[in-house]
Amino acid sequence: MAEKFDSLEEQLEKFVENIRQLGIIVSDFQPSSQAGLNQKLNFMVTGLQDIDKCRQQLHDISVPLEVFEYIDQGRNPQLYTKECLERALAKNEQVKGKIDTMKFAITFLNAVENPLGHPGTDSLSVGILSCISCFYSCL
């Protein structure tokens, strides 16, 4: 997989360098530099064709639109991955807290229902457990 990206990265670096050189030629254009300008324009066309060839290798790659928004905002796209992981960890902690609370509630209600180890029929504790379960499912 990395080879696909390496090839694209190499082609893009060549293309950017060619554009930079083309800009230098155009900014200080002299009639005698017409042949060099034509050569750089041809290199630019060839570079675009090479980039297009790389596109065919990467057709199955999907990039979330949020990554492009990060780039448009001038932010590092790697921050998107970091923030996604942080959100996932926070949600994981939240769910773990809910699970722990439910385990505690079930243990507590079982102790209330069965103080001597006998099956209980305390409808109040069953109702409380039901309310706690409903409350956490709404979060």
Side-chain angles (χ1 to χ4, degrees), residues 3 7 11 17 21 54 64 67 91 106 110 121 123-124:
E3 305 85 37
S7 174
Q11 294 302 324
E17 177 60 24
Q21 292 173 6
C54 292
V67 173
K91 185 68 175 174
I106 290 169
N110 283 337
T121 58
S123 62
L124 178 62

Side-chain angles (χ1 to χ4, degrees), residues 63-87:
V63 178
L65 291 176
E66 291 87 6
V67 173
F68 294 111
E69 291 172 9
Y70 270 60
I71 294 169
D72 289 343
Q73 295 168 359
R75 298 171 69 190
N76 186 339
Q78 292 179 342
L79 288 177
Y80 173 77
T81 303
K82 178 184 175 193
E83 291 175 8
C84 281
L85 288 173
E86 289 172 351
R87 284 193 304 265

Side-chain angles (χ1 to χ4, degrees), residues 33 36 125 127:
S33 62
S125 61

Side-chain angles (χ1 to χ4, degrees), residues 90-106 129 132-139:
K91 185 68 175 174
N92 186 33
E93 288 296 318
Q94 183 183 20
V95 170
K96 184 182 179 302
K98 290 179 184 180
I99 291 170
D100 291 345
T101 303
M102 289 300 293
K103 285 180 181 177
F104 174 77
I106 290 169
L129 182 60
I132 291 172
S133 176
C134 180
F135 173 75
Y136 277 111
S137 68
C138 293
L139 292 179

